[in-house]
Amino acid sequence: MSRSGFLQYEKFNQLFSQLQSAGYGCVGPSVIDGAVQFGKISSVAQLPQGIELTVKPGSVRVAKGDHQRYFAWPNGAQGIKPWLYRSRELLWRAEQTEQGFVFNRPEVNAEPIAFIGARACDLAALQLQDLHFMYGDYPDPFYSAHRNALFIVGVNCSHTGNTCFCASTGDGPEIQSGFDLLLDELDDGFIVRFGSEKGLKIFEQLELTPVSAEGHVDAKAQIAEVIAAQERALLHENMHANIFSNLDDREWDSVAEKCLACGNCTMVCPTCFCHREVEVQALDGKSSQHIREWDSCFNQDHSYIHGITIRDETRLRYRQWMSHKLGSWRDQYDRTGCTGCGRCISWCPAAIDFVAEANLIAGDS
Amino acid sequence: MSAQPIANPYLPYEAEIVERIQETPDVFTWRLRFVDEQLHQQYEFQHGQFNMLYQFGVGEIPVSVKNREQNLLTHTIRVVGRVTKAMAELKAGHRIGIRGPYGRGWPIQDCTGKDVVFITAGLGCAPAISAIQHVAECRTCFGRLVIMQSVKHRSDMLWQKQYDEWRQLPNTQVLLAASREKTNWPNWERGRVSVLFEDAIYDKQNCTVMLCGPDGMMSGSARMLAELGVPEEHIYLSLERNMQCAIGHCGHCQFGSAFVCKDGPVFSYPEVKEVLGHRGF
């Protein structure tokens, strides 16, 4: 285990000022529109201190809690994904010339960002997005630029949500790797560790005191409590084989009766990567932008091909989402595409329980 | 960090339509030249790969490379959607964007000395044309060449003259079928492509079969060929799915575990057997 130090609440804002001095813009959680959302923030004052976040299928509620903690809630509405794989990105622009047109490459303004409050499920998802966008045959220049400019402040979860199941996927609640700095929040401050050289540089600038023996024990204990408190567990060992041998299972029909095919689950999923390419022509007709934006396998035109929609029923689209996430993802990236964050359950307007459905359709009975 | 232009795998290159050929009322062929002469000379493709073609202000579509004739890149397009309808309006001299080639093509390099069988339906013949030409041009490099093509009506048949020329080659068989034809014509069978299987002469143990057509035709044919004794791993097929990025990122073309754009479009039958012909994939 790397060196650790204790950062008292009164000194917490040093983290912000040191990251800012190092050239990072800080991105962190705040309560916005009744949910915990990540945005650009400049100080600890904007963090969701003393709140209680209650999540359950189809419901997310923020209330005032009886504590002074900053991260006493399971996870935010989105993971790190929107900051690297942007919901809308200009790929290129075609400009008309006398004879034809030219293609102009956009400049990528990869502003260095410090993401404060990444959870274990989000860091596991980040690794999957890295594999998809950065380590294939065609590294994505946009994702890579944002990714390389990212500083990660991870936070070990001290509270679980009703929809969380990271312990069963093996991704949380304790962060194992992938952070620059790591925080364990206790009642009066944070145990701080570093996981990289750039993390060490900030670590050394903080006014830290030694961590008490009780502090280490308390940090371990609250992680153990989160594991014990998780009510859902994905039984994912044989899901690949089970899903692909149950493609005509009747349960696909019953889940499709509830599913609105709205795509909310895919929008909040930290690993979903589908996007469409769209053309936006200027009003004067002289230039045209080629843009990519997030798409969802729940959209009818996701599977459109020369006049045919391959997945023309919600049943087939729900099956595509689950069979990819828990089945074929394993062939593509050596593990499932689910890191147990539970957002797809919390943000489903029909309160569909992804874990229960998966265990029913694909679990070992 | 200062802003800088970046290498961009999404960026197309400008090309000129040198010639436009109306093949049938809804199918046309473009013969193209990259505007950048050096790029035009350097451009290479494997038989069965595809390019992304872009029309200014409208969008991009994937189209298999038909071949390279008289040093011009050839694409054959059926008018069916928003982008192809707009493309149909373009004339010789107009310009488009091209990026590619993408994907994995036909396993021609593994066919030396073996019988080579092409089974195609409708416009599914286009992705196979350059591979057939390659085998036709070197009849002694390969065993027998068997070409089976089916269409709905005899009038849908593209490149009939080319097929008639192939028919004259040694050790070569050209079999044609029309599923909705009412009249008997010389050299034509009535029915789907499978009606030709009985007449095809090739070494089932030592051949490579390449299929291209609608999914149902390919899954049905692959099953029948396996029953006839062709080892499944010697059967290849070219799939078509919604492709927008062509580099395995956008997710639309997923077919079970495969990204058709980068893992295919050509697959061996065992690679896709699990979901081929299954509704929803």
Side-chain angles (χ1 to χ4, degrees):
Chain A
M1 186 171 293
S2 72
R3 228 162 74 209
S4 61
F6 192 73
L7 185 66
Q8 287 173 336
Y9 273 161
E10 301 83 71
K11 307 269 169 78
F12 188 28
N13 206 51
Q14 284 182 7
L15 178 66
F16 284 76
S17 52
Q18 289 302 334
L19 286 167
Q20 284 154 352
S21 310
Y24 293 103
C26 292
V27 168
S30 298
V31 175
I32 300 168
D33 299 335
V36 176
Q37 301 191 50
F38 282 80
K40 289 194 177 164
I41 58 174
S42 52
S43 79
V44 295
Q46 288 159 279
L47 292 174
Q49 191 180 14
I51 67 145
E52 206 164 80
L53 177 66
T54 309
V55 293
K56 52 187 183 184
S59 168
V60 176
R61 295 287 180 272
V62 176
K64 201 169 157 19
D66 55 358
H67 61 85
Q68 290 306 306
R69 289 196 178 207
Y70 291 92
F71 296 99
W73 40 275
N75 59 24
Q78 287 277 7
I80 310 168
K81 180 170 95 169
W83 299 90
L84 307 180
Y85 163 42
R86 306 287 174 102
S87 58
R88 200 172 158 86
E89 190 95 61
L90 173 67
L91 299 179
W92 41 264
R93 183 198 304 269
E95 312 262 3
Q96 243 177 6
T97 61
E98 235 166 73
Q99 286 183 299
F101 44 88
V102 289
F103 297 100
N104 290 319
R105 297 184 294 177
E107 293 180 342
V108 177
N109 285 303
E111 182 198 347
I113 279 176
F115 191 92
I116 298 169
R119 304 308 181 98
C121 53
D122 294 331
L123 288 181
L126 181 68
Q127 283 183 8
L128 283 171
Q129 291 248 306
D130 285 353
L131 283 177
H132 183 71
F133 285 112
M134 275 173 69
Y135 298 120
D137 295 335
Y138 298 92
D140 182 80
F142 307 96
Y143 181 92
S144 306
H146 297 307
R147 177 70 175 95
N148 292 330
L150 183 71
F151 186 103
I152 296 167
V153 182
V155 174
N156 280 329
C157 282
S158 56
H159 289 67
T160 191
N162 165 274
T163 58
C164 294
F165 53 100
C166 63
S168 70
T169 65
D171 295 305
E174 188 171 19
I175 293 171
Q176 306 292 346
S177 63
F179 57 89
D180 295 301
L181 286 178
L182 177 62
L183 308 179
D184 279 283
E185 186 173 24
L186 301 177
D187 282 336
D188 52 351
F190 300 89
I191 300 175
V192 186
R193 293 189 190 88
F194 57 86
S196 69
E197 273 186 40
K198 55 183 179 179
L200 174 62
K201 279 185 189 154
I202 301 293
F203 181 88
E204 285 175 334
Q205 301 300 317
L206 301 172
E207 275 183 64
L208 301 169
T209 54
V211 183
S212 66
E214 301 83 59
H216 281 305
V217 171
D218 290 350
K220 282 282 167 213
Q222 66 188 12
I223 288 169
E225 277 169 32
V226 168
I227 295 171
Q230 286 194 357
E231 292 167 15
R232 284 162 217 279
L234 190 65
L235 314 170
H236 59 93
E237 285 311 316
N238 297 308
M239 277 191 168
H240 182 289
N242 293 351
I243 287 177
F244 281 91
S245 55
N246 288 324
L247 292 175
D248 297 315
D249 197 297
R250 282 204 169 156
E251 189 56 28
W252 299 117
D253 295 295
S254 42
V255 71
E257 278 177 25
K258 293 179 269 181
C259 177
L260 308 174
C262 69
N264 255 21
C265 48
T266 58
M267 295 294 106
V268 294
C269 177
T271 66
C272 270
F273 52 67
C274 283
H275 54 264
R276 67 174 82 89
E277 293 188 15
V278 294
E279 195 72 15
V280 182
Q281 196 173 15
L283 284 176
D284 65 5
K286 288 180 180 161
S287 69
S288 191
Q289 292 184 320
H290 196 73
I291 289 167
R292 78 162 172 223
E293 51 188 34
W294 288 2
D295 197 357
S296 168
C297 53
F298 283 94
N299 288 339
Q300 179 151 341
D301 61 1
H302 186 275
S303 62
Y304 172 87
I305 181 165
H306 51 56
I308 304 162
T309 298
I310 292 187
R311 288 181 283 279
D312 56 352
E313 294 173 11
T314 302
R315 174 178 67 96
L316 300 173
R317 284 177 239 160
Y318 193 90
R319 193 184 70 186
Q320 173 65 23
W321 141 254
M322 185 179 281
S323 67
H324 180 220
K325 193 66 65 185
L326 301 178
S328 39
W329 206 298
R330 200 168 265 231
D331 295 332
Q332 293 167 350
Y333 297 111
D334 286 334
R335 59 156 293 170
T336 71
C338 177
T339 65
C341 75
R343 292 185 179 95
C344 58
I345 306 173
S346 311
W347 293 95
C348 175
I352 294 173
D353 184 338
F354 182 76
V355 174
E357 294 296 340
N359 289 341
L360 193 61
I361 295 170
D364 291 317
S365 50
Chain B
M1 199 173 288
S2 63
Q4 51 185 324
I6 39 159
N8 190 334
Y10 295 102
L11 204 66
Y13 295 89
E14 199 184 12
E16 184 179 316
I17 301 168
V18 179
E19 191 183 352
R20 182 192 186 283
I21 303 152
Q22 190 74 42
E23 305 276 10
T24 70
D26 65 346
V27 175
F28 65 92
T29 294
W30 278 342
R31 303 177 81 195
L32 302 152
R33 179 193 295 282
F34 284 99
V35 171
D36 180 336
E37 184 56 29
Q38 196 185 349
L39 179 67
H40 188 72
Q41 296 306 333
Q42 284 171 352
Y43 180 90
E44 283 180 6
F45 70 97
Q46 294 164 17
H47 310 296
Q49 284 188 306
F50 68 95
N51 281 325
M52 294 300 291
L53 305 185
Y54 167 73
Q55 176 161 1
F56 179 77
V58 182
E60 271 189 321
I61 51 161
V63 184
S64 62
V65 181
K66 186 196 161 203
N67 58 7
R68 192 166 186 144
E69 282 176 341
Q70 292 151 11
N71 200 25
L72 295 175
L73 190 62
T74 307
H75 282 288
T76 295
I77 299 165
R78 186 159 69 95
V79 181
V80 65
R82 187 179 61 85
V83 179
T84 49
K85 274 178 191 147
M87 284 179 164
E89 304 296 318
L90 296 182
K91 297 179 171 59
H94 284 153
R95 292 186 177 182
I96 63 160
I98 301 179
R99 60 184 175 101
Y102 293 111
R104 178 173 64 170
W106 300 109
I108 292 291
Q109 66 285 353
D110 303 331
C111 297
T112 311
K114 299 202 301 192
D115 289 358
V116 187
V117 181
F118 292 92
I119 306 175
T120 59
L123 196 51
C125 62
I129 290 288
S130 72
I132 300 176
Q133 281 173 336
H134 179 84
V135 177
E137 276 161 20
C138 187
R139 282 314 299 108
T140 53
C141 310
F142 304 90
R144 284 181 60 77
L145 167 61
V146 180
I147 303 163
M148 296 179 240
Q149 156 77 349
S150 71
V151 288
K152 284 178 184 160
H153 304 279
R154 221 176 112 261
S155 57
D156 298 329
M157 182 68 190
L158 299 174
W159 311 308
Q160 176 79 57
K161 195 163 149 276
Q162 170 81 81
Y163 281 79
D164 290 341
E165 283 170 23
W166 286 332
R167 197 192 302 279
Q168 306 307 318
L169 294 173
N171 225 5
T172 302
Q173 218 178 349
V174 173
L175 302 166
L176 305 174
S179 59
R180 294 189 191 166
E181 197 65 46
K182 299 274 189 289
T183 323
N184 287 319
W185 293 88
N187 292 327
W188 282 86
E189 292 290 330
R190 279 163 45 195
R192 296 182 172 207
V193 77
S194 52
V195 302
L196 304 170
F197 287 10
E198 207 174 304
D199 294 334
I201 301 160
Y202 58 97
D203 182 350
K204 298 196 172 49
Q205 294 300 316
N206 189 33
C207 67
T208 301
V209 182
M210 300 183 221
L211 293 161
C212 190
D215 287 3
M217 166 267 182
M218 292 196 288
S219 60
S221 297
R223 245 191 338 264
M224 287 173 73
L225 290 163
E227 280 167 19
L228 289 171
V230 179
E232 289 188 351
E233 62 274 22
H234 294 175
I235 302 169
Y236 290 83
L237 42 98
S238 179
L239 285 169
E240 207 176 357
R241 283 297 178 270
N242 185 338
M243 293 192 241
Q244 300 192 17
C245 73
I247 57 177
H249 288 174
C250 81
H252 292 90
C253 71
Q254 289 179 88
F255 187 73
S257 302
F259 293 93
V260 173
C261 69
K262 74 178 171 87
D263 301 327
V266 174
F267 293 92
S268 74
Y269 180 44
E271 286 176 315
V272 291
K273 192 181 167 189
E274 188 177 37
V275 291
L276 182 68
H278 213 109
R279 193 161 125 69
F281 286 99

